[in-house]
Amino acid sequence: FAALQVLPKDGKPVIVWPIQDEAWENIAEGIRRVAEEIRRGVQAAPSSRKIIFRVKALPNEIHCIFDAKADLGRSRQCDFCFTQAPASVSNYHARLSYSKVKRQFFIQDLGSSNGTYVDGVRLTAASALRLGARVSLAQSLPFLFSADERRELPSGALIFNGSSGKEVARYLLAPSGEIRLGNSPGDEAPLPVLPKGLSVARILSRPDGLYFLPADREGDPAAASRLENGAELDLDPILLQVEIPA
């Protein structure tokens, strides 16, 4: 229980909130998050939901959640966890989601202390994301939003650029249960160090785990090999380190 977050946010008593209804909404949202974490632990194998790729000897990372929603924040319980983010970023800060009905990605604030911003405007409700939108957590953790809207069920990405302006981390939400790895147009997990136009593989989420299906064997699902935590993928000229959080 020591890891549970005090509610409402920042441990501020309900009676001192200017608008107490907002305090109760914050408490309800916190309880809902805990219930959802318990549900995920019971109903879904974590190893089939999340994967992280790191390019060996380079700073590039790709984080992927195979789902229609993901929470962002400093807490290790978040799907996209930013433990090194400034203290202005809340433990549970925002949620990225995809609506199959509206065919759109959305971002919403989760009652954070310092807000979530889209194109410089602080959110007061869930906001649809357009291609190229600037998303910021507490105006201190900036991303660019990208998605290939040509796909029937696209993946959405929050892209973090380093001080050089080049991409160093990509946070993917893949409601379809698969992503493409490579350096071809439409590859949701691009690796620019690979030869241009080369698509390497599809990463598939299945009930029993995550699988690697080589691009030249896409017509043969049985050719997919299960990925293990700690594995290294030799994609000449680079090595990809695989982390599948427990």
Side-chain angles (χ1 to χ4, degrees):
F1 290 98
L4 292 178
Q5 187 177 13
V6 176
L7 297 173
K9 67 180 181 182
D10 303 326
K12 189 176 176 182
V14 172
I15 59 172
V16 301
W17 281 58
I19 304 175
Q20 292 188 11
D21 282 350
E22 291 183 357
W24 290 115
E25 287 177 8
N26 184 265
I27 291 171
E29 174 63 20
I31 294 171
R32 189 209 61 75
R33 280 198 301 266
V34 172
E36 185 168 298
E37 287 165 12
I38 294 172
R39 178 188 63 79
R40 285 176 183 170
V42 172
Q43 295 184 357
S47 61
S48 67
R49 190 173 180 272
K50 182 176 183 178
I51 193 167
I52 301 170
F53 294 108
R54 294 186 173 90
V55 182
K56 197 167 185 179
L58 290 173
N60 303 76
E61 296 183 354
I62 297 170
H63 300 242
C64 183
I65 296 293
F66 295 96
D67 205 337
K69 60 183 175 182
D71 288 351
L72 295 74
R74 292 170 59 231
S75 170
R76 294 188 181 278
Q77 300 303 315
C78 284
D79 301 301
F80 295 137
C81 171
F82 308 108
T83 55
Q84 302 302 313
S88 55
V89 175
S90 295
N91 287 333
Y92 290 90
H93 198 106
R95 175 172 298 142
L96 178 66
S97 62
Y98 180 74
S99 169
K100 293 181 181 179
V101 175
K102 296 183 178 179
R103 293 181 53 81
Q104 280 186 306
F105 285 91
F106 290 84
I107 189 83
Q108 70 181 94
D109 189 77
L110 294 179
S112 68
S113 298
N114 297 297
T116 301
Y117 295 76
V118 174
D119 294 329
V121 179
R122 185 167 181 167
L123 299 183
T124 57
S127 174
L129 290 172
R130 60 171 181 80
L131 189 65
R134 294 176 292 112
V135 176
S136 177
L137 306 186
Q139 291 189 309
S140 58
L141 193 58
F143 303 93
L144 284 177
F145 175 74
S146 178
D148 186 351
E149 298 173 346
R150 297 169 297 177
R151 292 189 181 277
E152 180 64 26
L153 196 54
S155 295
L158 292 174
I159 300 168
F160 179 77
N161 294 324
S163 56
S164 66
K166 293 183 178 179
E167 177 181 332
V168 294
R170 177 173 292 239
Y171 299 88
L172 275 167
L173 186 67
S176 67
E178 66 176 69
I179 56 172
R180 292 178 183 272
L181 194 66
N183 195 18
S184 288
D187 284 346
E188 296 94 340
L191 299 168
V193 288
L194 292 177
K196 197 168 184 178
L198 177 65
S199 190
V200 174
R202 288 163 60 197
I203 307 300
L204 310 173
S205 173
R206 294 176 176 173
D208 62 335
L210 295 166
Y211 286 78
F212 180 94
L213 179 61
D216 59 0
R217 302 288 300 278
E218 283 195 3
D220 181 13
S225 57
R226 183 170 175 170
L227 291 167
E228 301 294 340
N229 183 43
E232 286 193 347
L233 302 176
D234 187 354
L235 308 178
D236 188 34
I238 64 168
L239 282 176
L240 265 192
Q241 297 175 317
V242 177
E243 180 182 346
I244 302 175

